[in-house]
Amino acid sequence: MKKVYLDYAATTPCDPEVLKAIEPYFFEKFGNPSSIHAFGQEARHAIEDAREILAKFIGANPDEIIFTSGGTESDNSAIEGVAFAQQKKGNHIITTAIEHHAILEPAKFLERFGFKATLVKVGKDGLVDPLDIKKAITDKTILISVMHANNEIGVVQPITEIGKIAKEKGITFHADAVQTVGHIPVNVNELNVDLLSLSAHKFYGPKGVGALYVRKGTRLEKFMHGGGQEKGKRGSTHNVPGIVGLGKAIQLCADKMEAEAKFQIGLRDQLIKGISARIPDVLLNGHYLKRLPNNVNFSIRYIEGESILLNLDMVGIAASTGSACTSESLEPSHVMLAIGLPHEIAHGSLRITLGRWTTKEDTDYLLESLPKIVDKLRKMSPLYPNK
Ligand code: PLP
């Protein structure tokens, strides 16, 4: 059976060139980078090379990069690290209603320690209004955290403008760029961010490794207490193969990102037009233009997203209803509810995300298969009025 992967926002395959770069670091070059002998120093150099590649790619200095175990750790470290380091200054955090759980959960956790979080609403198009962020600021606000692009609806937020507001008020600003690094340009100075999270498995690197950019001078409590790794900012023996893989993956993105984005925008727009034309009663979620090159997200009325996924899977197509992390929950996604969809429509969302190995044949196959599946499911649905 044909197999078509259209779930690149959940995770990406590791690029074969990344695999090749990683392999020696499991046996030949297995040293602990904290060791002073030659084995250790070889590993240390590899880490520092990866740090330089990443720093250059996002416009940072190498000493502003902390390697982590992925997007979740980077996000948790940013939220909790700023809160605990700056609690004498205030106890208020501003974030948005559509953030990933890696932001929402630490914000909720901090309430136990006397912090308060304001979740700024988004418009029906999924966009955050910078003025709403400004209005939410109080004299107790110590942190603003807004995601660069949403993982479900792909909407790219006005981070530069929000960063300007944070800067004017002297408030630390974090952006979760897990869905954007390697896909669209990310420059920490242009975006006006103090902290930025990223994760290698979203840009053709390995799983379980990421980074947190921390602008020099940002007050941040350490999140992982242990040895003196990462200049004492994050204990734990470095994941050397992972970090080498992250660096290689970034290097590949630096070469390929522009052309890939252009190609994906073409396929994405064909899909948006094709689905709208072939299937009645569908609604594109997220702003039509201000979205990631690889993201298509539709609500398909009268049927459940899960049923669509299972039926797509039967014909070999892998897609998603939204975030991979919430796929075990039957609750509608908080993102769909935040953009104002009623529960019954929020349940019928389908996310299609494209990537490095997506072809026109793949998207044509989806366009051919999806209308048949929707038609079949609607005919069985008690909610469908036009049987
Ligand atoms: N933030 C966003 C926007 C994400 O999409 C994800 C993963 O889906 C994460 C954070 C968590 O990243 P990781 O899986 O590397 O922990």
Side-chain angles (χ1 to χ4, degrees), residues 7 28 44 87 114 185 192 194 218 226 250 265 293 315 333 342 344 352 369:
D7 198 13
E28 277 161 67
R44 157 130 340 245
Q87 58 187 330
N192 292 317
D194 301 305
T218 305
I250 287 286
I265 286 171
V315 297
S333 124
E344 67 280 10
I352 300 149
S369 312

Side-chain angles (χ1 to χ4, degrees), residues 9-11 68-75 98-103 147-152 176-180 197-202 206-210 323-325 351:
T11 195
T68 67
S69 63
T72 302
E73 186 190 324
S74 299
D75 282 347
I98 58 164
E99 297 299 307
H100 192 272
H101 289 289
I103 296 289
M147 69 200 319
H148 192 191
N150 182 267
N151 45 301
E152 295 188 33
D176 174 343
V178 168
Q179 288 290 337
T180 52
S197 304
L198 57 104
S199 179
H201 76 101
K202 306 288 187 182
K207 292 171 181 58
V209 62
S323 158
C325 320
R351 179 184 75 179

Side-chain angles (χ1 to χ4, degrees), residues 96-223:
T96 78
I98 58 164
E99 297 299 307
H100 192 272
H101 289 289
I103 296 289
L104 295 175
E105 289 300 315
K108 203 157 96 189
F109 170 72
L110 284 170
E111 287 176 2
R112 287 197 223 161
F113 300 88
F115 292 93
K116 291 193 169 60
T118 300
L119 306 187
V120 169
K121 292 196 170 102
V122 297
K124 279 192 181 327
D125 54 8
L127 275 169
V128 177
D129 184 343
L131 274 182
D132 288 339
I133 300 279
K134 196 171 184 174
K135 280 186 217 150
I137 295 173
T138 72
D139 57 356
K140 295 268 187 293
T141 308
I142 50 172
L143 173 68
I144 299 172
S145 177
V146 179
M147 69 200 319
H148 192 191
N150 182 267
N151 45 301
E152 295 188 33
I153 53 177
V155 173
V156 180
Q157 301 296 345
I159 297 298
T160 301
E161 288 77 3
I162 298 169
K164 233 181 258 168
I165 293 169
K167 217 185 219 174
E168 276 164 22
K169 301 271 181 190
I171 299 168
T172 302
F173 181 40
H174 167 256
D176 174 343
V178 168
Q179 288 290 337
T180 52
V181 170
H183 298 274
I184 59 172
V186 171
N187 180 294
V188 293
N189 298 315
E190 282 168 20
L191 293 176
N192 292 317
V193 294
D194 301 305
L195 299 139
L196 183 128
S197 304
L198 57 104
S199 179
H201 76 101
K202 306 288 187 182
F203 51 84
Y204 316 104
K207 292 171 181 58
V209 62
L212 179 65
Y213 157 78
V214 185
R215 187 178 292 281
K216 202 169 183 225
T218 305
R219 286 167 54 208
L220 189 75
E221 189 58 62
K222 100 167 89 153
F223 181 73

